[in-house]
Amino acid sequence: MKKSPVELINLVFSSLMVLLTFTGSIVFLFTDLFSDRAFGNKRIVLGIVFLAYAIYRSYRMYTALKKEKEME
């Protein structure tokens, strides 16, 4: 079944959000970028929150695609 433009936009937006939040978590956990603004425990907590949100968005996207496949 062909996807509507709204579904495609939603899929692309969800994919970009997962990519951005995962990249943000990598930046905060493993690099010194923005170390002058976020440092210490704040930096680690922010990286973990970004990673958790990326995992959550990935799971939601996976379940939505799985549900759509079952409906076909």
Side-chain angles (χ1 to χ4, degrees):
M1 188 149 123
K2 191 173 181 183
K3 293 182 187 259
S4 72
V6 173
E7 290 172 336
L8 285 174
I9 291 170
N10 190 18
L11 181 64
V12 169
F13 180 71
S14 294
S15 300
L16 285 175
M17 284 301 296
V18 167
L19 182 65
L20 284 173
T21 54
F22 184 72
T23 303
S25 71
I26 297 299
V27 165
F28 280 109
L29 292 174
F30 300 112
T31 69
D32 289 336
L33 196 63
F34 297 121
S35 62
D36 58 334
R37 295 184 184 168
F39 50 88
N41 287 339
K42 283 191 229 179
R43 189 171 181 81
I44 294 169
V45 169
L46 190 59
I48 291 171
V49 167
F50 275 13
L51 183 61
Y53 187 66
I55 292 168
Y56 171 71
R57 290 287 296 211
S58 300
Y59 177 74
R60 282 193 54 207
M61 195 167 65
Y62 170 75
T63 55
L65 290 172
K66 187 177 173 183
K67 183 179 175 183
E68 185 179 309
K69 286 246 182 195
E70 289 176 359
M71 290 176 46
E72 287 181 354

Coordinates of all heavy atoms in Angstrom, one line a residue:
M1 N 0.8 -1.2 0.0 CA 0.0 0.0 0.0 C 0.9 1.2 0.0 O 1.9 1.3 0.7 CB -0.9 0.0 1.2 CG -1.9 1.1 1.3 SD -3.3 0.4 2.1 CE -3.6 1.6 3.4
K2 N 0.5 2.2 -0.8 CA 1.3 3.4 -1.0 C 1.1 4.3 0.2 O 0.0 4.5 0.7 CB 1.0 4.1 -2.3 CG 1.9 5.2 -2.6 CD 1.6 5.8 -4.0 CE 2.5 6.9 -4.3 NZ 2.2 7.4 -5.6
K3 N 2.2 5.0 0.7 CA 2.0 5.9 1.8 C 1.6 7.2 1.4 O 2.0 7.7 0.3 CB 3.4 6.0 2.6 CG 3.8 4.7 3.2 CD 5.1 5.0 4.0 CE 5.7 3.7 4.5 NZ 5.4 3.5 5.9
S4 N 0.8 7.9 2.2 CA 0.4 9.3 1.9 C 1.6 10.2 2.2 O 2.5 9.9 2.9 CB -0.8 9.6 2.7 OG -0.4 9.8 4.1
P5 N 1.5 11.4 1.6 CA 2.6 12.4 1.9 C 2.8 12.7 3.4 O 3.9 12.9 3.9 CB 2.2 13.6 1.1 CG 1.3 13.1 0.0 CD 0.6 11.9 0.6
V6 N 1.7 12.7 4.1 CA 1.7 13.0 5.5 C 2.5 11.9 6.3 O 3.3 12.2 7.2 CB 0.3 13.2 6.1 CG1 0.4 13.4 7.6 CG2 -0.4 14.4 5.5
E7 N 2.2 10.7 5.9 CA 2.9 9.5 6.6 C 4.4 9.5 6.2 O 5.2 9.3 7.1 CB 2.3 8.2 6.1 CG 0.9 8.0 6.6 CD 0.2 6.8 6.0 OE1 0.6 6.4 4.9 OE2 -0.7 6.2 6.7
L8 N 4.7 9.9 5.0 CA 6.1 10.0 4.6 C 6.9 11.1 5.4 O 8.0 10.9 5.9 CB 6.3 10.2 3.1 CG 6.0 9.0 2.3 CD1 6.0 9.4 0.8 CD2 7.0 7.9 2.5
I9 N 6.2 12.2 5.5 CA 6.8 13.4 6.3 C 7.0 12.9 7.8 O 8.0 13.2 8.4 CB 5.9 14.6 6.2 CG1 6.0 15.2 4.7 CG2 6.3 15.7 7.2 CD1 5.0 16.3 4.4
N10 N 6.0 12.3 8.3 CA 6.1 11.8 9.7 C 7.3 10.8 9.9 O 8.0 10.9 10.8 CB 4.8 11.2 10.1 CG 4.7 10.9 11.6 OD1 5.5 11.4 12.4 ND2 3.8 10.0 12.0
L11 N 7.4 9.9 8.9 CA 8.5 8.9 9.0 C 9.9 9.6 8.9 O 10.8 9.3 9.6 CB 8.3 7.9 7.9 CG 9.4 6.8 7.8 CD1 9.3 5.9 9.0 CD2 9.1 6.0 6.5
V12 N 10.0 10.6 8.0 CA 11.3 11.3 7.8 C 11.6 12.1 9.0 O 12.7 12.1 9.5 CB 11.2 12.2 6.5 CG1 12.4 13.1 6.5 CG2 11.2 11.3 5.3
F13 N 10.6 12.8 9.6 CA 10.8 13.6 10.8 C 11.2 12.7 11.9 O 12.1 13.1 12.7 CB 9.5 14.4 11.1 CG 9.6 15.2 12.3 CD1 10.4 16.4 12.3 CD2 9.0 14.9 13.5 CE1 10.6 17.2 13.4 CE2 9.1 15.7 14.6 CZ 9.9 16.8 14.6
S14 N 10.5 11.6 12.1 CA 10.9 10.7 13.2 C 12.3 10.2 13.0 O 13.0 10.1 14.0 CB 9.9 9.5 13.2 OG 8.6 9.9 13.6
S15 N 12.7 9.8 11.8 CA 14.0 9.4 11.6 C 15.1 10.4 11.9 O 16.1 10.1 12.5 CB 14.2 8.9 10.1 OG 13.3 7.9 9.8
L16 N 14.8 11.7 11.5 CA 15.7 12.8 11.8 C 15.8 13.0 13.3 O 16.9 13.3 13.8 CB 15.3 14.0 11.0 CG 15.5 14.1 9.6 CD1 14.9 15.3 8.9 CD2 17.0 14.0 9.3
M17 N 14.7 12.9 14.0 CA 14.7 13.1 15.4 C 15.6 12.1 16.1 O 16.4 12.4 17.0 CB 13.3 13.1 16.0 CG 12.6 14.4 15.7 SD 13.4 15.9 16.4 CE 13.3 15.5 18.2
V18 N 15.4 10.8 15.7 CA 16.2 9.7 16.3 C 17.7 10.0 16.0 O 18.6 9.9 16.9 CB 15.8 8.4 15.7 CG1 16.8 7.3 16.0 CG2 14.4 8.0 16.2
L19 N 18.0 10.4 14.8 CA 19.4 10.6 14.4 C 20.0 11.8 15.2 O 21.1 11.7 15.7 CB 19.5 10.9 12.9 CG 20.9 11.2 12.3 CD1 21.8 9.9 12.5 CD2 20.8 11.6 10.9
L20 N 19.3 12.9 15.3 CA 19.7 14.1 16.0 C 19.9 13.8 17.5 O 20.9 14.2 18.1 CB 18.8 15.2 15.8 CG 18.9 15.9 14.5 CD1 17.7 17.0 14.3 CD2 20.2 16.6 14.3
T21 N 19.0 13.1 18.1 CA 19.1 12.9 19.6 C 20.2 11.9 19.9 O 20.9 12.0 20.8 CB 17.7 12.4 20.2 OG1 17.3 11.3 19.5 CG2 16.7 13.5 20.2
F22 N 20.4 10.9 19.0 CA 21.5 9.9 19.2 C 22.8 10.6 19.0 O 23.7 10.4 19.8 CB 21.3 8.8 18.2 CG 22.4 7.7 18.4 CD1 22.3 6.9 19.5 CD2 23.4 7.6 17.5 CE1 23.3 5.9 19.7 CE2 24.4 6.6 17.7 CZ 24.3 5.8 18.8
T23 N 22.9 11.5 18.0 CA 24.1 12.3 17.8 C 24.4 13.2 19.0 O 25.5 13.3 19.4 CB 24.0 13.1 16.5 OG1 23.7 12.2 15.4 CG2 25.3 13.9 16.2
G24 N 23.3 13.8 19.5 CA 23.5 14.7 20.7 C 24.0 13.9 21.9 O 24.9 14.4 22.6
S25 N 23.5 12.7 22.0 CA 24.0 11.9 23.2 C 25.4 11.6 23.0 O 26.2 11.6 24.0 CB 23.1 10.7 23.4 OG 23.4 9.7 22.3
I26 N 25.9 11.2 21.8 CA 27.3 10.9 21.5 C 28.1 12.1 21.8 O 29.2 12.0 22.4 CB 27.5 10.4 20.1 CG1 26.7 9.1 19.9 CG2 28.9 10.2 19.7 CD1 27.1 7.9 20.8
V27 N 27.7 13.3 21.3 CA 28.4 14.5 21.5 C 28.6 14.8 23.0 O 29.7 15.1 23.5 CB 27.8 15.7 20.8 CG1 28.3 17.0 21.3 CG2 27.9 15.6 19.3
F28 N 27.6 14.7 23.8 CA 27.7 15.0 25.2 C 28.5 14.0 26.0 O 29.1 14.3 27.0 CB 26.3 15.3 25.8 CG 25.8 16.6 25.5 CD1 24.7 16.8 24.7 CD2 26.4 17.8 26.1 CE1 24.2 18.1 24.4 CE2 25.9 19.0 25.8 CZ 24.8 19.2 25.0
L29 N 28.4 12.7 25.6 CA 29.0 11.7 26.4 C 30.5 11.5 26.0 O 31.3 11.1 26.9 CB 28.3 10.4 26.2 CG 26.9 10.3 26.9 CD1 26.2 9.0 26.6 CD2 27.0 10.5 28.4
F30 N 30.9 11.7 24.8 CA 32.2 11.3 24.3 C 33.1 12.4 23.7 O 34.2 12.1 23.3 CB 32.1 10.1 23.3 CG 31.4 8.9 23.9 CD1 30.2 8.5 23.4 CD2 32.0 8.2 24.8 CE1 29.5 7.4 23.9 CE2 31.4 7.0 25.4 CZ 30.1 6.7 24.9
T31 N 32.6 13.6 23.7 CA 33.4 14.7 23.2 C 33.5 15.8 24.1 O 32.8 15.8 25.2 CB 32.9 15.2 21.8 OG1 31.7 15.9 22.0 CG2 32.7 14.1 20.8
D32 N 34.3 16.8 23.8 CA 34.5 18.0 24.7 C 33.7 19.2 24.1 O 33.8 20.3 24.6 CB 35.9 18.4 24.8 CG 36.7 17.4 25.7 OD1 36.0 16.7 26.5 OD2 37.9 17.3 25.6
L33 N 32.9 19.0 23.1 CA 32.1 20.0 22.5 C 31.1 20.6 23.5 O 30.5 19.8 24.2 CB 31.4 19.5 21.2 CG 30.8 20.5 20.3 CD1 32.0 21.3 19.7 CD2 30.1 19.8 19.1
F34 N 31.0 21.8 23.6 CA 30.1 22.5 24.5 C 30.5 22.3 26.0 O 29.7 22.4 26.9 CB 28.6 22.1 24.4 CG 28.0 22.5 23.0 CD1 27.5 21.5 22.2 CD2 28.0 23.8 22.6 CE1 27.0 21.8 21.0 CE2 27.5 24.1 21.4 CZ 26.9 23.1 20.6
S35 N 31.7 21.9 26.2 CA 32.2 21.7 27.6 C 32.2 22.9 28.5 O 32.2 22.8 29.7 CB 33.5 21.0 27.6 OG 34.5 21.8 27.1
D36 N 32.2 24.1 27.8 CA 32.2 25.3 28.6 C 30.8 25.7 29.1 O 30.7 26.4 30.0 CB 32.8 26.5 27.7 CG 32.0 26.7 26.4 OD1 31.4 25.7 25.9 OD2 32.0 27.8 25.9
R37 N 29.8 25.1 28.5 CA 28.4 25.4 28.9 C 27.8 24.3 29.8 O 27.0 24.5 30.6 CB 27.6 25.6 27.7 CG 28.0 26.9 27.0 CD 27.1 27.2 25.8 NE 27.6 28.3 25.1 CZ 27.2 28.7 23.9 NH1 26.3 28.0 23.3 NH2 27.8 29.7 23.3
A38 N 28.1 23.0 29.4 CA 27.6 21.9 30.2 C 28.8 21.1 30.6 O 29.6 20.6 29.8 CB 26.7 21.1 29.3
F39 N 29.0 20.9 31.9 CA 30.1 20.2 32.4 C 29.7 19.3 33.6 O 28.7 19.5 34.2 CB 31.3 21.2 32.8 CG 30.8 22.3 33.7 CD1 30.8 22.1 35.1 CD2 30.4 23.5 33.1 CE1 30.4 23.2 35.9 CE2 29.9 24.5 33.9 CZ 29.9 24.4 35.3
G40 N 30.6 18.4 33.9 CA 30.4 17.5 35.1 C 29.2 16.6 34.9 O 28.9 16.0 33.8
N41 N 28.4 16.5 36.0 CA 27.3 15.5 36.0 C 26.2 16.0 35.1 O 25.4 15.2 34.5 CB 26.7 15.4 37.4 CG 27.7 14.6 38.3 OD1 28.5 13.8 37.8 ND2 27.6 14.7 39.6
K42 N 26.0 17.3 34.9 CA 25.0 17.8 34.0 C 25.2 17.3 32.6 O 24.3 16.9 31.9 CB 25.0 19.3 33.9 CG 24.5 20.1 35.0 CD 24.4 21.5 34.7 CE 24.9 22.4 35.7 NZ 24.9 23.8 35.4
R43 N 26.4 17.2 32.2 CA 26.8 16.7 30.8 C 26.4 15.2 30.7 O 25.9 14.8 29.7 CB 28.3 17.0 30.6 CG 28.8 16.7 29.3 CD 30.2 17.2 29.2 NE 30.7 17.0 27.9 CZ 30.5 17.8 26.9 NH1 29.8 18.9 27.1 NH2 31.0 17.6 25.7
I44 N 26.7 14.5 31.7 CA 26.5 13.0 31.6 C 25.0 12.8 31.6 O 24.4 12.0 30.9 CB 27.2 12.3 32.8 CG1 28.7 12.4 32.6 CG2 26.7 10.8 32.9 CD1 29.5 11.9 33.8
V45 N 24.2 13.5 32.5 CA 22.8 13.3 32.6 C 22.1 13.7 31.3 O 21.2 13.0 30.8 CB 22.2 14.1 33.8 CG1 20.7 14.2 33.7 CG2 22.7 13.5 35.1
L46 N 22.6 14.8 30.7 CA 22.0 15.3 29.4 C 22.3 14.3 28.3 O 21.4 14.0 27.5 CB 22.6 16.6 29.0 CG 22.0 17.4 27.9 CD1 20.5 17.6 28.1 CD2 22.7 18.7 27.6
G47 N 23.5 13.7 28.3 CA 23.8 12.6 27.3 C 22.9 11.4 27.5 O 22.4 10.8 26.5
I48 N 22.7 11.0 28.7 CA 21.8 9.8 29.0 C 20.4 10.1 28.6 O 19.7 9.3 28.1 CB 22.0 9.4 30.4 CG1 23.4 8.8 30.7 CG2 20.9 8.4 30.8 CD1 23.8 8.6 32.1
V49 N 19.9 11.3 28.9 CA 18.5 11.7 28.6 C 18.4 11.7 27.0 O 17.4 11.2 26.5 CB 18.2 13.1 29.2 CG1 16.9 13.6 28.6 CG2 18.0 13.0 30.7
F50 N 19.3 12.2 26.3 CA 19.3 12.2 24.9 C 19.2 10.8 24.3 O 18.5 10.5 23.4 CB 20.4 13.0 24.3 CG 20.2 14.5 24.1 CD1 19.2 15.1 24.7 CD2 21.1 15.2 23.4 CE1 19.0 16.5 24.6 CE2 21.0 16.6 23.2 CZ 19.9 17.2 23.9
L51 N 20.1 9.9 24.9 CA 20.1 8.5 24.5 C 18.8 7.8 24.7 O 18.3 7.1 23.9 CB 21.3 7.8 25.1 CG 21.5 6.4 24.7 CD1 21.8 6.3 23.2 CD2 22.7 5.8 25.5
A52 N 18.2 8.1 25.9 CA 17.0 7.4 26.3 C 15.9 7.9 25.3 O 15.0 7.1 24.9 CB 16.6 7.7 27.7
Y53 N 15.9 9.2 25.0 CA 14.8 9.7 24.1 C 15.0 9.1 22.7 O 14.0 8.8 22.0 CB 14.9 11.2 24.1 CG 13.7 11.8 23.3 CD1 12.4 11.7 23.7 CD2 14.0 12.5 22.1 CE1 11.4 12.2 23.0 CE2 12.9 13.1 21.4 CZ 11.6 12.9 21.8 OH 10.6 13.4 21.1
A54 N 16.2 9.0 22.2 CA 16.5 8.4 20.9 C 16.0 6.9 20.9 O 15.4 6.5 19.9 CB 18.0 8.4 20.6
I55 N 16.2 6.2 22.0 CA 15.7 4.8 22.0 C 14.2 4.8 22.0 O 13.6 4.0 21.4 CB 16.3 4.1 23.3 CG1 17.8 3.9 23.1 CG2 15.6 2.8 23.5 CD1 18.6 3.5 24.3
Y56 N 13.6 5.7 22.8 CA 12.1 5.7 22.9 C 11.5 6.1 21.5 O 10.6 5.4 21.1 CB 11.7 6.8 23.9 CG 10.3 7.1 23.9 CD1 9.3 6.2 24.4 CD2 9.8 8.4 23.4 CE1 8.0 6.5 24.4 CE2 8.5 8.7 23.4 CZ 7.6 7.8 23.9 OH 6.2 8.1 23.9
R57 N 12.1 7.1 20.8 CA 11.6 7.4 19.5 C 11.8 6.3 18.5 O 10.9 6.0 17.7 CB 12.3 8.7 19.0 CG 12.0 10.0 19.7 CD 10.6 10.5 19.3 NE 10.4 10.8 17.9 CZ 9.7 11.7 17.5 NH1 8.9 12.4 18.3 NH2 9.5 11.9 16.2
S58 N 12.9 5.6 18.6 CA 13.1 4.4 17.7 C 12.1 3.4 17.9 O 11.6 2.8 17.0 CB 14.5 3.8 18.0 OG 15.5 4.8 17.7
Y59 N 11.8 3.1 19.2 CA 10.8 2.1 19.5 C 9.4 2.5 19.0 O 8.7 1.7 18.4 CB 10.8 1.8 21.0 CG 9.7 0.8 21.4 CD1 9.9 -0.5 21.2 CD2 8.5 1.3 22.1 CE1 8.9 -1.4 21.6 CE2 7.6 0.4 22.4 CZ 7.7 -1.0 22.2 OH 6.8 -1.9 22.5
R60 N 9.1 3.7 19.2 CA 7.7 4.2 18.7 C 7.7 4.1 17.2 O 6.6 3.7 16.6 CB 7.5 5.6 19.1 CG 7.1 5.8 20.5 CD 6.5 7.1 20.9 NE 5.5 7.5 20.0 CZ 5.2 8.8 19.7 NH1 5.9 9.8 20.2 NH2 4.2 9.1 18.8
M61 N 8.7 4.5 16.5 CA 8.8 4.4 15.0 C 8.7 2.9 14.6 O 7.9 2.6 13.7 CB 10.0 5.0 14.5 CG 10.0 5.3 13.0 SD 11.4 6.3 12.5 CE 12.8 5.3 12.8
Y62 N 9.4 2.0 15.3 CA 9.3 0.6 15.0 C 7.9 0.0 15.2 O 7.4 -0.7 14.3 CB 10.3 -0.2 15.8 CG 10.2 -1.6 15.7 CD1 10.7 -2.3 14.6 CD2 9.6 -2.4 16.8 CE1 10.5 -3.7 14.5 CE2 9.5 -3.7 16.7 CZ 10.0 -4.4 15.6 OH 9.8 -5.8 15.5
T63 N 7.3 0.3 16.3 CA 6.0 -0.2 16.5 C 4.9 0.4 15.5 O 4.0 -0.3 15.1 CB 5.5 0.1 18.0 OG1 5.6 1.5 18.2 CG2 6.3 -0.7 19.0
A64 N 5.1 1.6 15.1 CA 4.2 2.2 14.2 C 4.3 1.5 12.8 O 3.3 1.2 12.1 CB 4.4 3.7 14.0
L65 N 5.6 1.3 12.4 CA 5.8 0.6 11.1 C 5.3 -0.8 11.2 O 4.7 -1.3 10.2 CB 7.3 0.7 10.7 CG 7.8 2.0 10.3 CD1 9.3 2.0 10.2 CD2 7.1 2.5 9.1
K66 N 5.5 -1.5 12.3 CA 5.1 -2.9 12.5 C 3.5 -3.0 12.4 O 3.0 -3.8 11.8 CB 5.6 -3.4 13.8 CG 5.3 -4.9 14.0 CD 5.9 -5.4 15.3 CE 5.5 -6.8 15.6 NZ 6.1 -7.2 16.8
K67 N 2.9 -2.0 13.1 CA 1.4 -2.0 13.1 C 0.9 -1.7 11.7 O -0.1 -2.3 11.3 CB 0.9 -0.9 14.0 CG -0.5 -0.8 14.2 CD -0.9 0.3 15.2 CE -2.4 0.5 15.2 NZ -2.8 1.6 16.1
E68 N 1.5 -0.8 10.9 CA 1.1 -0.5 9.6 C 1.3 -1.7 8.7 O 0.4 -2.0 7.8 CB 1.9 0.6 9.0 CG 1.5 1.1 7.7 CD 2.3 2.3 7.2 OE1 2.5 3.2 8.0 OE2 2.9 2.2 6.1
K69 N 2.3 -2.5 8.8 CA 2.5 -3.7 8.0 C 1.4 -4.8 8.3 O 1.0 -5.5 7.5 CB 3.9 -4.3 8.4 CG 5.0 -3.6 7.8 CD 5.7 -4.4 6.7 CE 6.9 -3.6 6.2 NZ 7.4 -4.1 5.0
E70 N 1.0 -4.9 9.6 CA 0.0 -5.8 10.0 C -1.4 -5.5 9.4 O -2.2 -6.3 9.1 CB -0.1 -5.9 11.5 CG 1.0 -6.6 12.2 CD 1.0 -6.6 13.7 OE1 0.0 -6.0 14.2 OE2 1.9 -7.1 14.3
M71 N -1.6 -4.2 9.2 CA -2.9 -3.7 8.7 C -3.0 -4.0 7.2 O -4.1 -4.0 6.6 CB -3.1 -2.2 9.0 CG -3.3 -1.9 10.4 SD -3.4 -0.2 10.9 CE -4.5 0.5 9.7
E72 N -1.9 -4.2 6.5 CA -1.9 -4.4 5.0 C -2.4 -5.7 4.7 O -2.5 -6.7 5.2 CB -0.5 -4.2 4.4 CG 0.0 -2.8 4.4 CD 1.4 -2.7 3.8 OE1 2.0 -3.7 3.5 OE2 1.8 -1.6 3.6

